[in-house]
Amino acid sequence: MSDWTTLVAAEDLAAALGCDDLIVIDTRTSLSDRAASEQAYRDAHIPGARYADLDRDLSDHRKPGGGRHPWPDAADFVATLGRWGVTPQHQVVVYDAADGALAASRLWFLLRVLGHRRVAVLDGGWQRWSALGLPTDAEVPAPQATRYEADYDARRLLDAQQVRSLLDSGGLLIDARAGERFRGEVEPLDKVAGHVPGARNRAFALNLEDGRFKSPQALAQEFAPLLQGRAPQQVAAMCGSGVTACHHLLALTHAGFDGAGLYTGSWSGWIEDPQRPVATGQA
């Protein structure tokens, strides 16, 4: 089995099922019905897959000021990894319903910012796996608990003040929300519409073609006008709550631009302080 660090094709994952160093994690998420998401996992999933809940396992709602999906502390997240039986040596593959836009890319970045290199998102997700008629199972595994010791690379996790500093120093903040939300024309989730002044908009859906990620070459060409020669360390992504922004971080890494950061609170965190400025329109 090769080392997979960004994306893995369904056919390649199917061929690797049963390998001792492989752990698969199902992150299928419905923001409107969490219970239905976990029930879908219990009904059928990739054989051996654990289940990760976006709110319970990949967020920490005890933390104020962190937006709708507050970033979990490293100690809590590595404890969750331990319960799943994950060690730093495992090849981890994560998937969600289709395009990796919700919890799959979030879990991918959580692991990457811990320093876990061998983690990839299933390209096309459960939708493509099912369409190909690949194996499924309804048995819920009982993994042997392990101990995972690591801490986040804090340089890649930005708060509101660090976002301001990034923009003031000529860095790039990419907002992954749809254009109409970025421009402030509609806001279905948060109490204030608009965007962080100075941010640039690229909807995460632009990373995809027919439900799968575009090639590294195509993504590199499309991101280049935004990056304008900036190093990845001068770039951060945001969205509504720090979830779909991770889709951009995955796409950037797949395109060869590894090292960008995440504004963890994103738009929902930004507007928790009414003193922070809000922009509308395209720029």
Side-chain angles (χ1 to χ4, degrees):
M1 182 173 61
S2 302
D3 286 356
W4 300 319
T5 58
T6 55
L7 299 168
V8 58
E11 298 90 338
D12 293 334
L13 176 58
L17 290 179
C19 291
D20 290 340
D21 64 340
L22 173 68
I23 289 182
V24 181
I25 303 177
D26 184 317
T27 69
R28 283 177 284 172
T29 300
S30 169
L31 296 178
S32 61
D33 192 344
R34 287 176 55 199
S37 301
E38 188 158 3
Q39 186 58 52
Y41 159 79
R42 293 182 178 278
D43 291 341
H45 51 260
I46 293 176
R50 288 76 161 141
Y51 182 72
D53 179 88
L54 173 61
D55 286 287
R56 180 187 64 228
D57 301 316
L58 312 182
S59 308
D60 185 352
H61 290 282
R62 301 169 299 179
K63 298 169 69 174
R68 283 184 282 107
H69 291 104
W71 193 257
D73 290 336
D76 293 325
F77 180 57
V78 296
T80 298
L81 293 174
R83 290 193 298 272
W84 290 334
V86 178
T87 71
Q89 290 71 45
H90 275 106
Q91 171 69 67
V92 179
V93 174
V94 297
Y95 70 93
D96 56 27
D99 51 26
L102 278 172
S105 56
R106 166 90 161 198
L107 179 49
W108 174 86
F109 188 66
L110 274 159
L111 280 161
R112 285 298 291 252
V113 82
L114 277 182
H116 195 115
R117 191 180 66 85
R118 298 178 70 209
V119 55
V121 169
L122 177 62
D123 198 13
W126 176 253
Q127 183 174 351
R128 186 166 189 271
W129 185 272
S130 300
L132 292 173
L134 295 172
T136 64
D137 197 351
E139 181 179 351
V140 176
Q144 182 176 353
T146 61
R147 185 174 181 84
Y148 195 115
E149 295 185 3
D151 202 352
Y152 296 136
D153 180 353
R155 297 169 298 179
R156 300 188 68 181
L157 301 173
L158 283 68
D159 60 20
Q161 184 56 51
Q162 290 167 316
V163 163
R164 288 184 175 186
S165 297
L166 175 77
L167 291 169
D168 288 345
S169 64
L172 172 66
L173 179 63
I174 306 174
D175 191 321
R177 294 176 298 163
E180 58 268 26
R181 288 185 68 195
F182 177 84
R183 295 188 296 270
E185 296 165 4
V186 298
E187 183 44 69
L189 298 173
D190 295 306
K191 60 185 179 181
V192 178
H195 61 266
V196 175
R200 298 287 300 278
N201 183 224
R202 175 183 164 87
F204 76 85
L206 295 175
N207 299 329
L208 303 167
E209 189 170 27
D210 297 327
R212 301 180 68 185
F213 278 77
K214 295 175 180 176
S215 70
Q217 297 78 13
L219 288 168
Q221 290 177 351
E222 293 180 15
F223 275 108
L226 277 175
L227 298 178
Q228 294 184 337
R230 296 179 181 90
Q233 292 75 17
Q234 297 174 289
V235 179
M238 65 167 289
C239 56
S241 64
V243 178
T244 55
C246 297
H247 201 273
H248 274 336
L249 299 174
L250 174 57
L252 282 163
T253 303
H254 192 51
F257 303 113
D258 188 19
L262 172 69
Y263 174 23
T264 56
S266 286
W267 181 245
S268 55
W270 181 266
I271 61 174
E272 287 185 11
D273 182 350
Q275 300 302 313
R276 294 185 185 129
V278 170
T280 55
Q282 186 57 42

